[in-house]
Amino acid sequence: MEGKGLNRTASEIMNPRVITASRGTNANILARQLLTGQFSGLPVVEEDEEVVGVVSEFDLIQALLEGKELSLLKAEDIMNTPALCVTEESPLLHVLKLMIEHRIIRLPVVRNRKLVGMISRPNILSQMVDSSVPATHVLAVCYWCERVCDDIQSQLNQEVWCDLAEYLERHGVNSTEVNFSPKFCTTCAPVIKKLMEGSTSAQ
Ligand SMILES: [Zn+2]
């Protein structure tokens, strides 16, 4: 199976059903959309669907940590721009390299600069995992930061969260043996709680 999954192209595994934001979308609305857990980042597009930036939950958390009021911010105030994009023909290996190099977990897929889908690290990860092998580990993975809970190092009252690659290497676990169960990690949970409270009180 080696190489097979990564030789596929972005168009084969991207999510074509994408919710977008415009430059003027209020950050509170962005927060609510991201909190549904269905997407971890939203592309910001012009009226003709040209991608101008991406807003991730990290950008929202960053704004909150800087003491900013979400209801006073627009997508264009907090988005990452210019947006790094890939095309439908981009091989997954190229997409993965870009994600690692720029430390991002999702990328817009474009045709002539216009949005046709989104591709995320879990999309790619699932291509690398051989689903015919039964999973022996169920790992909690954080919705927001995508770290996994180290079930072997964690104590009863203290969860240890780390990158998946770190977990696999530390415990000699093969990625094909792992299944994921999403939840919020101990770092993100309090921030999300604060975000939700702020979001609700601004209504
Ligand atoms: Zn987290």
Side-chain angles (χ1 to χ4, degrees):
M1 73 154 247
E2 195 189 330
K4 181 176 161 226
L6 290 176
N7 282 333
R8 305 183 94 175
T9 59
S11 64
E12 290 178 81
I13 64 155
M14 69 181 187
N15 181 1
R17 292 178 302 280
V18 182
I19 305 282
T20 61
S22 64
R23 286 177 182 275
T25 305
N26 189 278
N28 250 332
I29 292 170
L30 294 173
R32 246 173 263 142
Q33 283 172 327
L34 291 171
L35 283 170
T36 63
Q38 289 172 296
F39 3 76
S40 47
L42 290 173
V44 182
V45 298
E46 302 281 21
E47 270 179 25
D48 66 356
E49 294 287 297
E50 182 179 338
V51 180
V52 290
V54 175
V55 174
S56 72
E57 64 283 329
F58 292 112
D59 301 318
L60 289 166
I61 290 176
Q62 184 73 39
L64 284 171
L65 292 177
E66 288 170 8
K68 292 177 180 163
E69 177 65 51
L70 284 192
S71 60
L72 301 177
L73 296 173
K74 294 176 192 164
E76 66 179 353
D77 299 327
I78 54 173
M79 67 183 182
N80 280 298
T81 187
L84 194 62
C85 298
V86 295
T87 64
E88 293 161 287
E89 300 77 32
S90 302
L92 292 193
L93 189 59
H94 170 71
V95 179
L96 200 55
K97 278 180 182 167
L98 275 181
M99 286 175 172
I100 292 166
E101 190 179 327
H102 296 273
R103 296 169 182 272
I104 43 180
I105 54 183
R106 71 199 62 77
L107 283 165
V109 182
V110 295
R111 188 187 306 150
N112 300 324
R113 296 293 305 163
K114 293 179 185 171
L115 187 72
V116 291
M118 288 290 279
I119 189 165
S120 68
R121 215 164 50 187
N123 290 149
I124 298 178
L125 201 58
S126 65
Q127 290 299 312
M128 299 165 68
V129 172
D130 183 353
S131 56
S132 65
V133 178
T136 53
H137 270 73
V138 177
L139 278 184
V141 58
C142 179
Y143 284 114
W144 281 48
C145 66
E146 299 192 356
R147 290 183 304 161
V148 298
C149 184
D150 189 331
D151 50 0
I152 298 168
Q153 288 220 324
S154 292
Q155 305 293 313
L156 190 60
N157 293 316
Q158 196 187 2
E159 292 180 354
V160 177
W161 290 77
C162 63
D163 281 341
L164 175 62
E166 196 185 320
Y167 176 91
L168 297 176
E169 196 184 328
R170 185 186 292 161
H171 302 299
V173 175
N174 193 302
S175 61
T176 58
E177 299 171 303
V178 175
N179 263 349
F180 298 100
S181 155
K183 64 182 271 191
F184 286 118
C185 76
T186 45
T187 309
C188 296
V191 184
I192 306 302
K193 190 163 175 283
K194 189 184 162 205
L195 182 61
M196 291 180 92
E197 284 165 1
S199 182
T200 311
S201 66
Q203 272 181 330

